[in-house]
Every structure is written in structure tokens, then in C-alpha cells.
Amino acid sequence: KTTAIWTDSSSCDGFTMVMNRDSMYNFISDDGNRYTFFYNYSDCMPFSEGYTFVKVGSADIWSMIDTKGNSIGELKFVDVKPFKNGYAWVRTEDGSANLIGTDCKLKLPKGKYSDVSQEVSDGVLVVQGHDGLYGYATVEGKELIKPAYSYAEPFKHGLAPVKVGEYMTLINSKGEQLCPALFAGFVITEDAVFPYIQEFEDKYGNWSNRKLYGLMTKEGEWLLPCCFSDYNEPSEGTVL
């Protein structure tokens, strides 16, 4: 018999984490009609999208289960994050990072990357090589752009901000650079791109840290310089 002495403050996917007097974790359903206990775990995470990760016994290794307590797959992990939009971030026993789907299979080549983003945009995610540089790969495991940047953000509307040296530039899905690396960042919308610089000191020597926006097309054509304090989504020919 399991007697709960602690419960998590919130329920996820209809289950709440509980801990017994032996400091072992469990899950209890909160549908009001039944109480379902799984195996006692030495550690666990809340359910997300119908799956979670648990540790069994003294082994400091995570494995994956579903809401019935069934083990999914045979892979084991040293670090994990909850599922989000069908993918979970994991670190395998060789120290490399990867993504898995709900079948608990690796999406990227094992051992290739030191870190990967859990956010998948346009079927592409940011990956970090073991040399610390960032690039991009598809969720099918194909390397789209070889890691070559000191910082990279997810693709949005077919474009991605990346850092070359001290400043940011913009690339397309082919890795082509659309503008010089002169900016602090970019706001990318469906119809336009707003590059911006950061002004840390005004003309009177006062600290300001404000952003000044410009405008360019998604093909890299400059329309307005970075001298505007705000921007708006394109509407009837007006954007700033």
C-alpha cells in the first residue's frame, strides 16, 4: 500500500506526482473516479503530452513511460526535458544531446551534437557542435547548415538570425547571408524583416539601452535605415 505524504502542486495530463514514506515517487490519477499507482520510482517528472521520464532504483538513469506505466523503447538517458510539440530533449549516456519522438527513438545521429534546441520551426532545429559552434539540422536527422556560428536562433518564416563575430546577420535556409553582420538582432514577420541596433548611450551621455529599428525585405533589400524607436506589422503600406 502506498501512502502519499507529498503531492506536486499541479496536475499534468490527468496525473499528479506523489511521494510515499520511503521517499519513492509515484503517479496518481486525478479524474475523481479511480486511483492508479505505478511502480515506485526514485525520481520522476510530470507527464507531458502523454509521456514522462522516471528513474528506477539506484541507477541515475532516466527511462520513458506512458500514462499506463508501460516502458517505451530501450534507450536510457542521463538528462531529459518534458515533451513539447511531439519532441523531448535528451542527453544520452555518451554525453551528446538529441531529440526523441514519442517512439523513444533518436531523431539525430547519435553522438554528433553537444546540444540541440527543443524548438522545431519549419521542420528545422538549432544544433551545437562539439566545437561550440551552432548550425541547423532537420528533425529527420539531415544536417541542413553545418555548425559555423557563435550563436543561432530558430528559423522563422524561412529566415534565421545568426551571430558572426560580435554582431548578428540573417541567413536563409540555404545558409546564404542576406546582409552584413552589423546588428543586435532581427524581428522577422511573414511579410518583412526589422533589423535593429541597440543604442546604449544617448547624445547626452545618459544610459538608454534602446532599440532602433530599420526595414528590409525578406530577400535582403534595404528599405529604411535603423533609426526608428518602434515598428508595426505591415498594413496597407505602413510599417513604421
Side-chain angles (χ1 to χ4, degrees):
K1 182 178 180 180
T2 301
T3 303
I5 61 172
W6 171 89
T7 60
D8 193 3
S9 60
S10 60
S11 170
C12 296
D13 284 6
F15 289 89
T16 300
M17 293 190 303
V18 298
M19 184 175 70
N20 65 20
R21 296 185 185 280
D22 297 321
S23 298
M24 301 297 286
Y25 293 89
N26 239 307
F27 295 94
I28 184 171
S29 65
D30 52 9
D31 58 11
N33 298 317
R34 61 186 178 87
Y35 299 91
T36 303
F37 289 93
F38 299 152
Y39 187 89
N40 285 336
Y41 305 110
S42 58
D43 202 356
C44 63
M45 300 179 67
F47 274 96
S48 177
E49 300 184 4
Y51 300 92
T52 190
F53 298 95
V54 296
K55 291 182 178 180
V56 179
S58 60
D60 192 22
I61 296 295
W62 295 95
S63 56
M64 180 176 162
I65 64 169
D66 62 16
T67 54
K68 295 182 179 180
N70 298 319
S71 296
I72 307 297
E74 299 180 355
L75 292 176
K76 308 297 180 183
F77 311 104
V78 297
D79 197 8
V80 293
K81 294 180 182 179
F83 272 88
K84 180 181 179 181
N85 298 323
Y87 301 102
W89 179 96
V90 297
R91 191 171 298 282
T92 54
E93 294 179 88
D94 63 0
S96 63
N98 217 306
L99 289 187
I100 62 169
T102 55
D103 57 359
C104 198
K105 292 182 179 180
L106 299 178
K107 294 296 182 181
L108 304 171
K110 185 177 181 181
K112 188 167 186 177
Y113 301 112
S114 64
D115 202 3
V116 302
S117 69
Q118 191 170 0
E119 181 179 350
V120 178
S121 178
D122 298 334
V124 176
L125 64 149
V126 180
V127 295
Q128 184 181 29
H130 293 286
D131 59 0
L133 298 178
Y134 294 86
Y136 297 88
T138 68
V139 289
E140 290 79 22
K142 178 183 177 182
E143 190 167 83
L144 186 66
I145 299 173
K146 184 178 179 180
Y149 307 105
S150 56
Y151 173 72
E153 297 181 7
F155 270 90
K156 185 176 182 181
H157 302 301
L159 302 174
V162 296
K163 195 172 187 179
V164 177
E166 295 296 320
Y167 297 99
M168 303 291 287
T169 183
L170 200 65
I171 62 172
N172 58 24
S173 59
K174 296 180 181 179
E176 297 170 336
Q177 188 172 320
L178 302 183
C179 62
L182 299 173
F183 305 97
F186 298 84
V187 176
I188 303 170
T189 70
E190 186 175 357
D191 299 312
V193 176
F194 300 90
Y196 62 85
I197 59 174
Q198 283 186 287
E199 186 180 66
F200 294 102
E201 192 174 274
D202 64 19
K203 62 182 180 180
Y204 302 107
N206 299 315
W207 181 262
S208 63
N209 193 23
R210 67 170 180 167
K211 295 177 181 178
L212 296 176
Y213 296 90
L215 176 65
M216 60 184 288
T217 68
K218 296 179 67 176
E219 293 72 36
E221 179 185 355
W222 274 96
L223 300 178
L224 293 171
C226 294
C227 59
F228 300 91
S229 60
D230 202 356
Y231 71 94
N232 291 307
E233 295 283 343
S235 176
E236 297 181 358
T238 302
V239 293
L240 292 164

